Amino acid sequence: MKLKSTLFVICSFSLFTIQAQRHISAKIIDSTKQEPVPYASIVLNNKTGVISNDNGAFNLTIDREVRPTDSLFISCLGFEQKQIAVHSFLDSIIALTPKTIDLNEIFLTNKNYTVPEIIEKVKANLDSNYAHNYAKRTLFFRESFYTSLLKTDVNIKKSTIPEFNQAFTDSLLRSIPKNTHQHTEILGELYGKTSVSQPQKMAILKASRLYDKKNEITFENYEKRFNEIIKKHVKRNSYFKIKSGWFGTKEAIDSSFFEDDSVDKETAEFLAKEKEREAKQKENFLIYRKSRIHEFENAHFLNTDTDLNFLEKSNRYHFELQDYAFINNAFVYTITFQPKRSEDFEGTIYVNTQDFAIVRLDYKNVKPLRKFSLLGISINEYLKEGTVIFQKNAHNKYVLKYADETNGQQVGIKRPLKIIEKNKYVKGRRKQNELATDIHFIVKNTDKKEMVIFENTPISESEFTNFKEVPNVTPTYLPAYDPKFWEGYNIIEPNQAIKAFKINETN
């Protein structure tokens, strides 16, 4: 009888918990154009909420019983705010109406400033408008890597290994996956001063890595796969070593590729930096991701070391007032910027007409950020674009609410490659045979980061000091997208590529 009572209580509690939660999924569109509205703010009772993704989709979880007074407030730049009662919410599509701006209403409360005057006021108010002190940021962060092998040519020039011929090499190349992608998702709390280069502490509440372990594009993976294939075809008491290669700049790079020591300083530094970053990533998930997230939250105009120098070096840009807009119950100037000469970015800033804070920034590079070719190695960092959104906290200071950024890079290799057969039973250098080839690889890498900060709570220095991190955090490995993994949590709605991710077991 006691067991039955206990089970009844557990089941009743579980049922109550399930009933108490409410999941709301929808897509936000423009009522006139019928197009998705990205980066819209969806807030429950004007307190906590989420951001729609770049396709206008969102998913919001309310982890308590819905009250009759609960409402969703949906707002976005240039649209009328919409209020919807939660208890009667049934729509899968939410249409926002574009907001008409009454210029007279703006000029009643503000002087008709020139664009240079507005920019100067933005710069003068940076310190007072934005929060820089200790804070706890409750956030969700996602980083996605997409890698495509655009060219994989290997031409055999000479071979003293009979089994290694052009036909075998071509079949080996066909086994290489041409497209891969992987995704890391983190729900956590970041502690520390929000400004750049300040020490941070982090609590990772939940994390996952969605990727294919077998087909992850790394040099080590391909060397391992290569040796597995070799063992099936070459019946020798030997092992084989690839002496050069570069299969993706995201992962480890084999420095033995550059055997002639003729690499320029810039390339050498780039390789060293990539290897160091990969080593840190593998060494400690918490340390690497904490650093990655803090770096990302400062990748904008408040950081003087960023590439986005349109404020710091405003004399190098042309600014133009395009229009006025309405966002979060405030009027904003819509101002575009373009480089006058050799700067890298163009974009749009949205400046509050009252306090001259930039509340949103959209940016995109106008030329490759780095492009060079030397000794058969070419690198073209062709894309860097993103959006940054700020909103006021409880202390009337602007804090980061949302950020996303996409970086694109294309790497080419056109150099000789050697495969050397070695045998541990042979004295001396143990070198038996050698395969000499010319390789031509072109790899395209895309890195997309996105982050939403649900709460930004000021804390004291002592609270930061006393917080203890939990080391050795390990993310959950997911071989396929699992919608239940984040069930009950508020996150950024995943895109279709993530939802469709599933490992091909036949590989």
Side-chain angles (χ1 to χ4, degrees), residues 148-153 178 413-414 440-444:
S148 299
L149 293 175
L150 305 182
K151 193 176 188 69
T152 55
D153 288 350
K178 297 299 186 290
I413 291 182
K414 195 172 184 180
H440 190 185
F441 279 76
I442 299 177
V443 184
K444 179 182 177 182

Side-chain angles (χ1 to χ4, degrees), residues 90-145:
L90 297 172
D91 300 325
S92 59
I93 300 292
I94 300 173
L96 295 186
T97 304
K99 183 171 179 64
T100 302
I101 302 298
D102 183 358
L103 295 184
N104 290 327
E105 187 174 352
I106 297 175
F107 295 134
L108 280 175
T109 58
N110 207 342
K111 176 186 173 183
N112 187 12
Y113 292 103
T114 65
V115 175
E117 287 176 330
I118 295 171
I119 298 304
E120 287 306 311
K121 285 186 174 293
V122 168
K123 295 165 68 175
N125 287 281
L126 285 177
D127 287 338
S128 59
N129 274 331
Y130 298 90
H132 305 284
N133 295 323
Y134 288 98
K136 179 182 79 171
R137 289 90 78 199
T138 303
L139 58 87
F140 175 80
F141 172 82
R142 176 186 292 129
E143 184 164 21
S144 301
F145 284 105

Side-chain angles (χ1 to χ4, degrees), residues 117-248:
E117 287 176 330
I118 295 171
I119 298 304
E120 287 306 311
K121 285 186 174 293
V122 168
K123 295 165 68 175
N125 287 281
L126 285 177
D127 287 338
S128 59
N129 274 331
Y130 298 90
H132 305 284
N133 295 323
Y134 288 98
K136 179 182 79 171
R137 289 90 78 199
T138 303
L139 58 87
F140 175 80
F141 172 82
R142 176 186 292 129
E143 184 164 21
S144 301
F145 284 105
Y146 302 87
T147 302
S148 299
L149 293 175
L150 305 182
K151 193 176 188 69
T152 55
D153 288 350
V154 177
N155 295 316
I156 295 179
K157 311 303 287 184
K158 177 183 178 182
S159 176
T160 60
I161 307 175
E163 293 89 347
F164 286 177
N165 51 49
Q166 191 68 54
F168 172 71
T169 303
D170 292 342
S171 67
L172 181 64
L173 291 174
R174 285 194 293 270
S175 72
I176 298 175
K178 297 299 186 290
N179 298 284
T180 66
H181 57 109
Q182 60 174 277
H183 313 272
T184 301
E185 297 180 321
I186 296 172
L187 181 68
E189 296 172 339
L190 191 64
Y191 296 76
K193 287 188 174 181
T194 56
S195 51
V196 70
S197 301
Q198 295 295 318
Q200 303 291 305
K201 295 181 180 181
M202 189 170 189
I204 294 181
L205 307 178
K206 193 176 177 73
S208 69
R209 286 198 68 204
L210 181 67
Y211 71 107
D212 186 342
K213 289 182 178 180
K214 183 178 179 181
N215 289 326
E216 187 180 14
I217 294 186
T218 67
F219 183 83
E220 288 82 3
N221 260 13
Y222 279 117
E223 189 166 50
K224 180 181 178 181
R225 173 180 280 202
F226 173 81
N227 276 288
E228 289 174 350
I229 295 173
I230 292 301
K231 289 177 183 178
K232 294 180 181 178
H233 292 82
V234 182
K235 307 301 181 181
R236 299 176 179 225
N237 189 20
S238 305
Y239 65 97
F240 297 84
K241 180 67 177 176
I242 300 175
K243 295 299 290 181
S244 62
W246 192 344
F247 296 99

Side-chain angles (χ1 to χ4, degrees), residues 222-439:
Y222 279 117
E223 189 166 50
K224 180 181 178 181
R225 173 180 280 202
F226 173 81
N227 276 288
E228 289 174 350
I229 295 173
I230 292 301
K231 289 177 183 178
K232 294 180 181 178
H233 292 82
V234 182
K235 307 301 181 181
R236 299 176 179 225
N237 189 20
S238 305
Y239 65 97
F240 297 84
K241 180 67 177 176
I242 300 175
K243 295 299 290 181
S244 62
W246 192 344
F247 296 99
T249 60
K250 182 189 75 63
E251 300 293 346
I253 299 169
D254 182 22
S255 60
S256 64
F257 181 86
F258 304 99
E259 296 176 3
D260 54 6
D261 296 324
S262 59
V263 183
D264 67 300
K265 183 179 179 182
E266 185 177 10
T267 305
E269 290 177 351
F270 175 79
L271 296 177
K273 184 177 180 181
E274 289 295 320
K275 291 187 72 175
E276 181 183 2
R277 184 165 69 86
E278 175 63 17
K280 287 182 178 179
Q281 181 180 2
K282 292 181 178 180
E283 179 184 353
N284 191 305
F285 181 80
L286 172 65
I287 292 176
Y288 175 76
R289 289 298 168 181
K290 174 178 63 176
S291 173
R292 191 83 168 157
I293 291 171
H294 184 51
E295 176 185 292
F296 182 49
E297 74 170 343
N298 282 283
H300 52 73
F301 55 88
L302 291 179
N303 177 10
T304 57
D305 291 331
T306 183
D307 295 334
L308 293 166
N309 61 356
F310 63 91
L311 280 184
E312 182 186 5
K313 299 180 179 179
S314 58
N315 62 315
R316 300 185 182 183
Y317 289 85
H318 172 69
F319 295 87
E320 184 174 351
L321 178 62
Q322 298 291 334
D323 204 348
Y324 297 87
F326 192 80
I327 182 171
N328 292 335
N329 300 316
F331 289 110
V332 295
Y333 300 106
T334 301
I335 300 174
T336 58
F337 62 90
Q338 290 183 330
K340 291 180 180 179
R341 293 178 292 276
S342 60
E343 298 304 321
D344 297 324
F345 292 92
E346 66 179 8
T348 304
I349 55 175
Y350 301 87
V351 181
N352 188 301
T353 60
Q354 296 302 306
D355 55 25
F356 300 95
I358 295 177
V359 297
R360 174 168 168 168
L361 162 67
D362 299 324
Y363 60 92
K364 184 177 182 178
N365 62 304
V366 295
K367 62 179 183 179
L369 299 180
R370 181 166 56 156
K371 186 176 182 179
F372 69 89
S373 180
L374 185 68
L375 301 175
I377 305 298
S378 62
I379 296 178
N380 181 9
E381 295 183 5
Y382 65 89
L383 177 64
K384 182 174 182 177
E385 63 179 352
T387 294
V388 182
I389 298 174
F390 293 87
Q391 71 176 31
K392 285 187 176 180
N393 64 8
H395 295 260
N396 212 35
K397 296 287 187 179
Y398 286 94
V399 294
L400 184 64
K401 176 63 179 179
Y402 176 83
D404 84 70
E405 184 175 274
T406 302
N407 293 271
Q409 181 188 76
Q410 187 165 297
V411 178
I413 291 182
K414 195 172 184 180
R415 284 177 65 104
L417 174 145
K418 293 181 181 179
I419 298 176
I420 298 173
E421 178 190 4
K422 295 187 177 183
N423 191 302
K424 62 182 179 180
Y425 299 107
V426 178
K427 295 181 179 180
R429 298 178 62 189
R430 301 175 181 172
K431 176 179 173 182
Q432 301 297 293
N433 287 289
E434 183 176 298
L435 170 69
T437 70
D438 287 335
I439 65 170

